[in-house]
Amino acid sequence: MIVFLGDIAVRDEQQAKAVTPLSVLHPVPFEFVVANLEGGLGGATDEAASQSRLFNHPAITEYLRQSRVRVVTLANNHAFDFGAPFARTLPLLDRIGTRAIGAGPNLAQASEPVVVSHSTGPVAFLGFGWRAIGCPQASAEAAGANPLEPDWVLECVRRTRRDLGPDVKLALFCHWNYELEVFPQPLHRELAHAAVHAGADLIVGCHSHCISGVEQVNGRWIVYGLGNWLISEDLRYPARADLELAFGWDPGTGAVRCDWYRYEPRALDVHWLGASHPDSCHRVKAATPFAGMSHADYRVWFRKNRRKTRLLPVFADIEARRTNLLKQRWVEVRHGLIGVLRSVKLKGTEPRG
């Protein structure tokens, strides 16, 4: 089984050394872990006071090693906070046998799948980051994240499926949605469904810092939001962000498992609450009231039930390319304005993921 975890951002050395590895906590055996490394390894400590920038202390690599984290995604909005993370992050990951996906010195490398051996056969991983939430975008000549642009995501899925053949399983790790939004953007849900039809075997997401629902399409699973995993105490989130999901997936049989954990911010630790199958789990049903809705019905439902509404547009359709671009630019402008307000102490300065 492969276990997928949400955001890891541990800036303090002593905390990084004290965290209990998943191999000790998890109640069932697993082969390896895939996680979101929210911020590169190393960031200069004299710059850490900047409340909008995140990194992981290099001491967290021991936790990654003991937890059997074989793949991390760097397709997120903090991986580049201290410049391109490749020079300091990749060598440290290499030492513990961990591969990175979703970012690179150019688009070709950022979109390159990582293939990892599993007892049931090889599994390929792709990472994507959404520009609207601050993920720097890679281009032919510039470093950044693999863009979470619908046409490009589907092209990457089809290309990987074509190049690797039908016997290699393919999992996507997507950094998307607004912070603390509990339901997926209609565009992202539509994209996830399309990616399944294009050849993806599993899709998991993060960034919203809370559980965002689990849905099955054509026998494939989509986990819209894993929630956090290990986030330093000074990144303050509401209590609902303390519930975390470790999603287990057997790429050979397709079997899945939800292991629920409670995060303790002050202790920077997690506690196992129990396990369930998504089909019979009350937490999954509560987080996924939209399961089985058509895209048209979900667009209407989402507008009525979304949590994040303050000057934030709804991204509704893949085909609305020009409209999506304008909305994306507005969200970027809004984020910049919030940064200015924080810098002059007119808005809270706590770091956000």
Side-chain angles (χ1 to χ4, degrees):
M1 181 165 282
I2 302 170
V3 177
F4 291 80
L5 302 179
D7 303 343
I8 297 176
V10 184
R11 303 189 293 188
D12 180 78
E13 180 179 7
Q14 296 306 313
Q15 287 184 325
K17 291 179 177 179
V19 181
T20 305
L22 187 68
S23 55
V24 174
L25 295 173
H26 211 56
V28 296
F30 59 89
E31 291 195 32
F32 62 88
V33 170
V34 183
N36 174 50
L37 198 63
E38 188 76 25
L41 294 167
T45 54
D46 59 341
E47 296 181 275
S50 172
Q51 296 293 283
S52 63
R53 299 200 281 179
L54 298 181
F55 65 94
N56 279 276
H57 193 280
I60 200 66
T61 55
E62 182 59 18
Y63 169 83
L64 299 179
R65 186 189 68 79
Q66 291 187 29
S67 296
R68 299 200 288 277
V69 178
R70 296 279 301 281
V71 179
V72 296
T73 178
L74 295 176
N76 59 62
N77 53 311
H78 288 294
F80 290 77
D81 278 2
F82 294 90
F86 314 114
R88 65 180 181 276
T89 298
L90 296 188
L92 290 171
L93 293 176
D94 285 342
R95 293 178 191 173
I96 59 171
T98 299
R99 310 277 299 280
I101 59 171
N106 52 56
L107 181 58
Q109 294 185 49
S111 61
E112 186 73 18
V114 162
V115 181
V116 180
S117 297
H118 184 269
S119 61
T120 63
V123 183
F125 298 91
L126 287 168
F128 299 91
W130 192 29
R131 177 177 176 175
I133 55 175
C135 299
Q137 304 290 275
S139 67
E141 299 179 349
N146 193 22
L148 189 92
E149 297 292 342
D151 292 335
W152 176 247
V153 171
L154 297 178
E155 180 180 336
C156 288
V157 171
R158 294 187 184 108
R159 180 187 66 197
T160 303
R161 177 55 66 213
R162 182 183 63 248
D163 292 347
L164 298 181
D167 295 332
V168 176
K169 300 299 182 181
L170 175 58
L172 312 186
F173 210 138
C174 301
H175 210 76
W176 55 15
N177 210 353
Y178 297 140
E179 188 177 81
L180 299 178
E181 175 57 69
V182 297
F183 303 119
Q185 292 291 314
L187 168 65
H188 294 157
R189 182 172 182 258
E190 183 186 19
L191 174 59
H193 287 216
V196 166
H197 292 298
D201 295 293
L202 176 73
I203 299 167
V204 296
C206 62
H207 177 72
S208 68
H209 305 291
C210 52
I211 305 301
S212 300
V214 181
E215 194 172 26
Q216 191 176 32
V217 176
N218 279 13
R220 307 293 192 266
W221 290 97
I222 302 167
V223 184
Y224 293 104
L226 293 166
N228 291 329
W229 185 249
L230 293 176
I231 295 286
S232 291
E233 179 189 357
D234 56 348
L235 284 97
R236 302 176 183 92
Y237 294 99
R240 69 175 183 271
D242 293 344
L243 180 65
E244 304 180 335
L245 172 59
F247 190 79
W249 175 56
D250 187 319
T253 65
V256 296
R257 171 188 171 105
C258 294
D259 280 274
W260 301 95
Y261 286 84
R262 178 70 63 188
Y263 173 57
E264 300 288 347
R266 292 189 178 277
L268 195 70
D269 212 349
V270 292
H271 303 281
W272 186 72
L273 299 176
S276 60
H277 188 278
D279 281 341
S280 58
C281 178
H282 70 279
R283 290 190 178 101
V284 168
K285 290 181 179 179
T288 325
F290 54 84
M293 283 187 192
S294 69
H295 177 61
D297 288 343
Y298 181 66
R299 284 182 305 180
V300 175
W301 185 91
F302 178 80
R303 291 181 185 278
K304 293 179 180 179
N305 293 278
R306 66 183 178 132
R307 302 290 181 85
K308 302 288 285 188
T309 59
R310 187 174 296 178
L311 298 178
L312 285 170
V314 173
F315 288 79
D317 296 286
I318 287 177
E319 297 299 326
R321 292 174 178 82
R322 289 187 178 181
T323 302
N324 290 336
L325 181 60
L326 291 173
K327 290 178 178 179
Q328 184 170 273
R329 287 177 176 171
W330 162 244
V331 176
E332 291 174 322
V333 169
R334 179 182 178 276
H335 181 73
L337 292 173
I338 290 174
V340 171
L341 293 175
R342 284 178 176 162
S343 69
V344 296
K345 311 298 184 183
L346 293 179
K347 186 172 176 61
T349 58
E350 70 272 11
R352 305 308 296 265

